Amino acid sequence: MPIYDAPTRDMQFVLHDVLAVSEAGIPGYEELDRETTAAILGEAAKLSENVLAPLNPVGDAQGCTLENGVVRTPEGFRDAYEQMRAGGWMGLDADPEYGGQGMPYLIGSAVGEMFVSANMAFNMYQGLTHGAYSAIHAHGSEEQKRTYLPNLVDGIWSGTMNLTEPHCGTDLGLIRTKAEPADDGTYRITGQKIWISAGEHDLSENIIHLVLAKAPGGGEGTKGISLFIVPKFLVNADGSLGARNAVTCGGLESKMGIHGNATCVMNYDGATGYLVGELHKGMRAMFTMMNEARIGVGLQGYAQGEVAYQNARAFAQDRLQGRDVTGPANPDGPADPIIVHPDVRRNLLQQKSFVEGARAFTFWGAQMIDRAERAGDAEADAMISLLTPVIKGFLTDKGFETTVLAQQTLGGSGFVKEWGLEQFVRDSRITMIYEGTNGIQSLDLVGRKLGQDGGKAIMAFFEMIKAFNKEHEGEDEAFDRDFLEPLKQASKDLQSAGMFFMQQGMKNPQAALSGSYDFMHLFGHVCLGFMWAKMGLAAKAALAEGRGDPAFMEAKLATGRYYMARQLPATGMHLARIGSGAAPVMELDAAQF
């Protein structure tokens, strides 16, 4: 069975040594001292390691079953769900007015990483619920908030998001699900939605579906779309459950991975729905869920990489094969552990440097969300809007790559189910697809986010990197050479790519769009390079001041040096691809493929 050891020490390092959360000046952060965060992370670690992780292979092997319209989740899932509810984990960062604990989004992200690494399929049930909570909290009426939010926060009810239909996914303007107004102010929802995660299951008493549909008079395209609450069971005036609504699960998808989560075909046959927000303005409300989900999926990408890396590392330290070329490292044994071999170390360092950089990047992004929402910081809001497609796209591409590298570390054992690596590979693959494929993320980044508000956010990003380098250069010659100079060059590559788009984009949009995927990865590398420079600075300071575990801090610096020397130079490759323009991508006629 695969292992999982929650990386709470590294999380504490990012929270306190890198982000200095208790001194960040964000409302609610003053309570986040080391003792408080250690207690929260420690309890989440116990649940992750002892309850969720052992169920991960069970969920994969058993999957979900559909019997007479009822979906049964794998053995042990219901008990684990009740333990999550009892611990208040589902409402960790929810509004106290509705029963939540009011913790910052950042703490919810840190806890969420552990839950995802331990059991991604299971955690999706509460993840979708949190998204439904957020959308209703932001856009619902006061009555809707009182009716639905307490039970969503408690977990006694769960939630979903219903967008995709058999004929359309990304182009939501093509949806056919209809919403016909009824005399009592409700709507009758009719249509079919597919690929609905947690659409039907036996974990909660009620399921609150958030459904995109078109009401009369909305016109064509996405401007005519509205958002509706469609509960599985109607809710009586006193809050009790009433009649079954006309929504049913028409089938379960047979998937490559995440078998423990029910991915459903949902049929709406004149189901009663309640309008959320304004009529024909549903996309705005749904994107509250989508943006949260995209950051959450980016977290899923590196969290699966984390657990895969842990298993690869353990195998490499234990597996005896061959001899160290410089002399036996295990002279009393028949061979040396494979971690002595340079290529195995390269493989492991690529995994380790990505996961730790991605964690810092995601926590930094979560802190920006808190700064925007708790402190009303418009600049932080603009920055996280710019970075959301990078978090989702880059971290899931590289997260999947990390699980494959970990599988490769095990050799033939990585291809065998009992070791667990092949499940991590299969489970992580969906992260590159759902909540908007990574190709769509790159188009969103280049086609929308770069130019928003005259490019203020990307210019602020460049200024942030420049200011960081200027503040710290000259303090330490080795740090300048190993961290600041590579970061400076990578940032120049990113600026050059942006300049190319500005010069070419207007007269030849295909030149920009042909390079969008490379730009997303170039941007992602610069972000991780920035995080490694910040982590390197924090580790260097801790060593100088005698704080923390010296071996941990020295390992942090060595891992950072690896990323800056061996991974960050990829920005030059991506810039060269972008500079080749549209011709290599577009010149082949469609019939010639």
Side-chain angles (χ1 to χ4, degrees):
M1 178 179 289
I3 61 169
Y4 177 62
D5 181 17
T8 54
R9 181 169 66 169
D10 198 61
M11 290 180 175
Q12 287 282 82
F13 170 75
V14 175
L15 290 173
H16 297 286
D17 293 277
V18 180
L19 298 179
V21 290
S22 59
E23 303 155 23
I26 300 172
Y29 272 46
E30 65 278 359
E31 300 175 4
L32 300 181
D33 55 50
R34 288 182 184 268
E35 292 73 21
T36 299
T37 57
I40 296 169
L41 298 180
E43 289 303 310
K46 292 176 186 176
L47 183 60
S48 301
E49 295 166 355
N50 301 327
V51 177
L52 302 186
L55 287 176
N56 198 40
V58 175
D60 185 59
Q62 294 184 4
C64 298
T65 57
L66 175 63
E67 301 172 359
N68 300 318
V70 178
V71 172
R72 306 294 183 192
T73 52
E75 181 181 346
F77 270 43
R78 292 187 69 177
D79 179 63
Y81 188 85
E82 288 306 309
Q83 291 188 56
M84 294 283 278
R85 281 191 57 225
W89 295 107
M90 297 181 184
L92 184 65
D93 60 351
D95 190 339
E97 183 176 349
Y98 304 103
Q101 298 182 48
M103 297 297 293
Y105 181 80
L106 172 58
I107 299 303
S109 297
V111 167
E113 180 200 317
M114 290 185 268
F115 293 163
V116 170
S117 288
N119 196 323
M120 177 173 155
F122 174 86
N123 192 64
M124 288 172 65
Y125 291 102
Q126 68 178 33
L128 270 296
T129 301
H130 193 284
Y133 155 84
S134 296
I136 296 172
H137 189 268
H139 303 283
S141 67
E142 290 304 314
E143 181 183 358
Q144 288 171 342
K145 293 177 185 179
R146 289 194 303 271
T147 301
Y148 299 104
L149 294 188
N151 285 332
L152 288 173
V153 169
D154 176 84
I156 195 170
W157 295 354
S158 59
T160 71
M161 53 193 298
N162 286 235
L163 289 76
T164 306
E165 299 184 6
H167 61 285
C168 72
T170 301
D171 191 355
L172 290 170
L174 299 177
I175 67 170
R176 296 172 184 161
T177 299
K178 296 187 181 302
E180 294 292 338
D183 294 338
D184 59 0
T186 64
Y187 289 78
R188 297 294 174 262
I189 311 300
T190 301
Q192 185 180 78
K193 300 289 184 177
I194 64 170
W195 303 337
I196 308 306
S197 299
E200 172 63 33
H201 54 81
D202 58 358
L203 301 179
S204 60
E205 293 180 1
N206 202 5
I207 303 175
I208 310 305
H209 303 288
L210 289 185
V211 184
L212 288 181
K214 288 188 173 181
E220 298 297 320
T222 57
K223 293 181 180 179
I225 293 177
S226 301
L227 181 65
F228 299 91
I229 293 171
V230 186
K232 174 181 174 180
F233 290 98
L234 298 175
V235 182
N236 296 322
D238 63 358
S240 63
L241 296 184
R244 175 70 185 257
N245 208 351
V247 51
T248 57
C249 174
L252 291 178
E253 301 293 350
S254 179
K255 309 185 299 290
M256 174 180 174
I258 54 169
H259 295 158
N261 194 269
T263 305
C264 303
V265 176
M266 301 302 298
N267 295 321
Y268 295 86
D269 300 303
T272 299
Y274 306 89
L275 178 68
V276 178
E278 296 181 55
L279 192 64
H280 313 314
K281 304 288 186 182
M283 290 301 294
R284 179 171 173 266
M286 182 57 83
F287 264 99
T288 296
M289 289 186 74
M290 286 292 290
N291 287 329
E292 177 179 310
R294 285 172 174 173
I295 293 172
V297 171
L299 183 148
Q300 286 181 333
Y302 86 79
Q304 287 294 286
E306 166 68 41
V307 66
Y309 164 66
Q310 288 189 18
N311 284 271
R313 178 185 62 200
F315 184 92
Q317 291 171 334
D318 183 65
R319 175 72 164 172
L320 302 181
Q321 202 92 145
R323 287 293 188 189
D324 187 336
V325 294
T326 63
N330 178 35
D332 296 330
D336 292 334
I338 63 172
I339 200 168
V340 305
H341 304 305
D343 192 62
V344 173
R345 295 171 67 85
R346 172 204 59 79
N347 191 329
L348 290 171
L349 273 166
Q350 190 165 333
Q351 298 169 50
K352 177 179 170 65
S353 65
F354 164 73
V355 167
E356 293 178 13
R359 175 176 298 118
F361 183 25
T362 303
F363 284 18
W364 180 53
Q367 187 181 51
M368 276 187 255
I369 291 175
D370 284 329
R371 191 177 296 280
E373 294 184 353
R374 289 171 172 254
D377 189 327
E379 292 183 2
D381 188 55
M383 184 65 72
I384 192 58
S385 177
L386 171 70
L387 294 177
T388 293
V390 183
I391 291 172
K392 195 282 184 186
F394 182 71
L395 297 191
T396 58
D397 274 355
K398 290 297 181 181
F400 172 72
E401 181 182 315
T402 299
T403 64
V404 174
L405 288 169
Q407 184 184 40
Q408 185 71 17
T409 308
L410 271 69
S413 297
F415 204 68
V416 178
K417 281 184 178 293
E418 68 182 88
W419 290 87
L421 273 295
E422 60 86 36
Q423 182 187 348
F424 302 139
V425 171
R426 288 186 290 104
D427 284 356
S428 67
R429 185 63 182 86
I430 185 59
T431 64
M432 302 161 71
I433 298 172
Y434 60 13
E435 310 308 341
T437 65
N438 288 355
I440 293 298
Q441 303 305 316
S442 71
L443 297 180
D444 177 47
L445 174 63
V446 171
R448 294 182 61 248
K449 299 299 177 60
L450 282 186
Q452 278 187 343
D453 295 324
K456 286 176 64 176
I458 187 66
M459 294 307 296
F461 181 85
F462 290 139
E463 285 301 314
M464 180 171 52
I465 300 293
K466 182 178 178 181
F468 177 84
N469 275 306
K470 187 175 181 179
E471 180 183 358
H472 299 291
E473 64 187 354
E475 296 176 1
D476 183 317
E477 183 179 343
F479 189 77
D480 283 4
R481 180 191 65 238
D482 296 337
F483 288 90
L484 297 186
E485 288 301 325
L487 176 60
K488 191 180 299 183
Q489 181 56 54
S491 181
K492 287 180 180 178
D493 288 343
L494 185 64
Q495 291 180 64
S496 296
M499 186 64 68
F500 176 84
F501 289 155
M502 288 178 62
Q503 294 171 345
Q504 299 290 323
M506 293 298 291
K507 60 184 179 182
N508 183 10
Q510 289 181 334
L513 298 183
S514 295
S516 61
Y517 210 93
D518 280 287
F519 187 82
M520 180 179 73
H521 273 249
L522 200 169
F523 205 161
H525 276 296
V526 173
C527 289
L528 260 64
F530 183 40
M531 291 299 103
W532 271 115
K534 290 173 76 69
M535 288 191 286
L537 193 69
K540 188 165 73 77
L543 285 170
E545 297 166 16
R547 292 185 287 103
D549 178 3
F552 174 86
M553 299 302 174
E554 288 165 359
K556 188 65 68 175
L557 282 164
T559 306
R561 285 192 290 268
Y562 172 86
Y563 190 87
M564 304 306 269
R566 299 293 295 260
Q567 297 299 306
L568 192 56
T571 60
M573 174 193 69
H574 291 299
L575 177 60
R577 289 176 176 174
I578 290 167
S580 71
V585 176
M586 302 305 300
E587 66 180 347
L588 193 64
D589 186 83
Q592 295 175 300
F593 277 85

